[in-house]
């Protein structure tokens, strides 16, 4: 493991005011997103959509890296340029989702464990040769009656740590993503408690597997009340609860936290990130930025609708959200920016 190389990649991914674009939906999930707009889930449509996002002019000014699905990393643009080359030319580092999905956890109804460790060493070597310099693995933690169970915390943390160790061996920066789902009617304190336990267990496992913490990025969910909770929290409350949770469970040697949006509205995801970066002038030990899928892509998909005539407006919609989130990553987001769509 070359620690310096890993730290350098992490530093580039967390460069000032930059974040990550997650476009690693599996083919079926991409199909679900397309279906809402009547777009056929064909390989050509998936390629055209991903190409328009990744080649948006100037994307690299606010997005340091993009997480792809296996199929996308292997694609070529219409003129035959491999996607990783096109991305690097646009200032965006190629990343790859390597887990094979969250499956039912045996003996634990309603809980999941993420799979994908078998054969991972070989896949990582191939991805590295294709240009991927970072990877993602998403674990899913569900809050409910009597859950998460101890078994769910343990199984997911263990898998994340073994994935992270394999990535670092391959010269790839692991993004470790334990997502505490927004579903449910729990309050913000319960989300805090579950997120803190999730992260505490995760870092214990990462240490046990000898993962080099300065060479990874944590992809965390924000601390929020459940979607069906009677009382929702205001922006400052979410920012304070999330930071408190990080301070309680994330070592200072971790260089950065890139949040997922998890079903928040586009503007809320931006406002929450901004508020966290304003607390104490963003003086915490970690870079706090974004790694959004839905909250970055949704307006672009809305504008594109599968029509080549809309490519430019779709790119502008993506660039607008990327710039708003870039400002939030610096604690300089002004909601008035929302009116400046090109
Ligand atoms: P959302 O921002 O839509 O939650 O997706 C982020 C992600 O990569 C989930 O794994």
């Amino acid at each position: 493991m070359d620690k310096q190389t890993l730290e350098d990649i992490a530093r580039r991914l967390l460069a000032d005011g930059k974040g990550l674009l997650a476009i690693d939906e599996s083919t079926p999930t991409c199909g679900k997103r397309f279906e809402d707009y009547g777009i056929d889930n064909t390989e050509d449509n998936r390629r055209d959509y991903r190409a328009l996002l990744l080649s948006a002019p100037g994307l690299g000014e606010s997005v340091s890296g993009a997480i792809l699905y296996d199929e996308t990393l292997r694609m070529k643009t219409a003129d035959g340029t491999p996607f990783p080359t096109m991305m690097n030319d646009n200032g965006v580092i190629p990343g790859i989702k390597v887990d094979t999905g969250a499956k039912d956890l045996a003996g634990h109804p309603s809980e999941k464990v993420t799979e994908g460790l078998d054969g991972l060493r070989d896949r990582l070597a191939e991805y590295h040769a294709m240009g991927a310099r970072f990877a993602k693995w998403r674990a899913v933690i569900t809050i409910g009656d009597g859950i998460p169970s101890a078994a769910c915390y343990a199984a997911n943390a263990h898998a994340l740590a073994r994935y992270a160790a394999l990535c670092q061996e391959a010269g790839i920066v692991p993004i470790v993503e334990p997502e505490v789902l927004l579903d449910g009617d729990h309050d913000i304190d319960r989300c805090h408690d579950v997120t803190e336990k999730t992260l505490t267990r995760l870092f214990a496992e990462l240490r046990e597997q000898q993962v080099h913490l300065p060479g990874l990025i944590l992809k965390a969910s924000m601390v929020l009340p459940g979607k069906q909770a009677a009382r929702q929290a205001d922006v400052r409350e979410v920012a304070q609860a999330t930071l408190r949770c990080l301070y309680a469970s994330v070592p200072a040697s971790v260089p950065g936290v890139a949040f997922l949006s998890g079903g928040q509205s586009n503007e809320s995801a931006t406002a929450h990130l901004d508020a966290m970066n304003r607390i104490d002038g963003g003086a915490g030990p970690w870079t706090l930025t974004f790694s959004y899928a839905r909250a970055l892509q949704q307006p672009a998909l809305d504008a594109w609708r599968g029509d080549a005539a809309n490519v430019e407006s779709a790119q502008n919609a993506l660039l607008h959200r990327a710039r708003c989130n870039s400002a939030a990553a610096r604690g300089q987001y002004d909601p008035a920016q929302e009116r400046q769509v090109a």
Side-chain angles (χ1 to χ4, degrees):
M1 185 210 308
D2 178 357
K3 292 182 177 173
Q4 193 57 54
T5 302
L6 295 168
E7 289 175 29
D8 288 348
I9 297 166
R11 203 169 299 122
R12 281 165 58 210
L13 290 170
L14 296 165
D16 186 36
K18 294 191 190 186
L20 305 174
L21 168 63
I23 55 164
D24 56 330
E25 296 85 6
S26 64
T27 301
T29 304
C30 185
K32 269 188 241 158
R33 304 270 187 270
F34 279 5
E35 205 177 284
D36 295 342
Y37 298 93
I39 304 167
D40 290 335
N41 191 17
T42 61
E43 189 177 328
D44 281 354
N45 281 338
R46 290 193 299 276
R47 187 202 54 212
D48 290 351
Y49 175 56
R50 265 81 184 244
L52 85 82
L53 298 177
L54 295 169
S55 66
L59 183 66
E61 288 159 27
S62 40
V63 166
S64 55
I67 315 168
L68 311 185
Y69 184 57
D70 178 276
E71 175 190 70
T72 317
L73 190 70
R74 299 173 192 280
M75 282 179 158
K76 293 192 165 97
T77 61
D79 71 1
T81 309
F83 268 39
T85 307
M86 174 260 284
M87 293 168 71
N88 283 318
D89 289 349
N90 203 19
V92 177
I93 301 172
I96 180 79
K97 184 243 293 291
V98 301
D99 67 69
T100 56
K103 308 286 160 56
D104 291 343
L105 179 62
H108 293 83
S110 312
E111 297 196 283
K112 304 272 181 198
V113 62
T114 301
E115 296 186 350
L117 288 172
D118 288 355
L120 182 55
R121 175 177 277 123
D122 294 342
R123 287 195 288 134
L124 287 168
E126 188 193 7
Y127 290 142
H128 189 274
M130 290 167 75
R133 291 295 174 266
F134 71 105
K136 185 191 105 171
W137 176 292
R138 171 176 175 258
V140 178
I141 309 289
T142 307
I143 300 180
D145 229 7
I147 59 169
S149 63
C152 180
Y153 286 123
N156 279 294
H158 181 76
L160 273 164
R162 287 189 50 207
Y163 139 82
L166 282 163
C167 283
Q168 291 193 335
E169 183 189 87
I172 287 179
V173 166
I175 306 245
V176 293
E177 180 184 9
E179 174 172 2
V180 177
L181 294 180
L182 213 50
D183 306 312
D185 60 4
H186 52 271
D187 63 13
I188 192 168
D189 292 340
R190 175 106 168 98
C191 181
H192 187 293
D193 180 50
V194 170
T195 307
E196 186 181 330
K197 286 198 174 88
T198 300
L199 294 176
T200 301
R201 184 64 194 238
L202 171 63
F203 282 99
E205 293 281 347
L206 287 165
R207 285 205 166 99
E208 190 145 311
Q209 297 300 325
Q210 310 222 337
V211 173
H212 181 56
L213 298 185
L216 68 70
I217 293 172
L218 172 66
K219 179 157 171 167
S221 39
M222 296 182 196
V223 175
L224 293 155
K227 233 186 307 186
Q228 291 84 29
R231 190 188 152 272
Q232 289 300 317
D234 64 31
V235 171
R236 196 167 163 78
E237 213 178 334
V238 172
Q240 285 174 330
T242 305
L243 273 187
R244 214 167 43 238
C245 188
L246 296 182
Y247 276 110
S249 49
V250 181
S253 55
V254 171
V257 182
F259 291 97
L260 58 96
S261 58
Q264 303 176 57
S265 73
N266 305 328
E267 290 78 10
S268 298
T270 306
H272 289 148
L273 176 63
D274 181 65
M276 281 187 261
N277 277 310
R278 282 177 192 262
I279 292 177
D280 300 330
W286 322 276
T287 297
L288 303 179
T289 188
F290 57 92
S291 176
Y292 299 158
R294 282 162 288 181
L296 274 171
Q297 286 186 58
Q298 191 266 322
L301 191 53
D302 225 20
W304 180 54
R305 294 176 176 269
D307 186 342
N310 299 330
V311 164
E312 198 180 318
S313 56
Q315 289 180 325
N316 285 336
L318 170 69
L319 292 170
H320 171 68
R321 282 258 59 79
R323 286 185 194 118
C324 287
N325 284 304
S326 170
R330 293 188 164 108
Q332 294 171 2
Y333 167 65
D334 176 352
Q337 267 178 270
E338 296 295 349
R339 296 193 292 274
Q340 297 164 5
V341 192

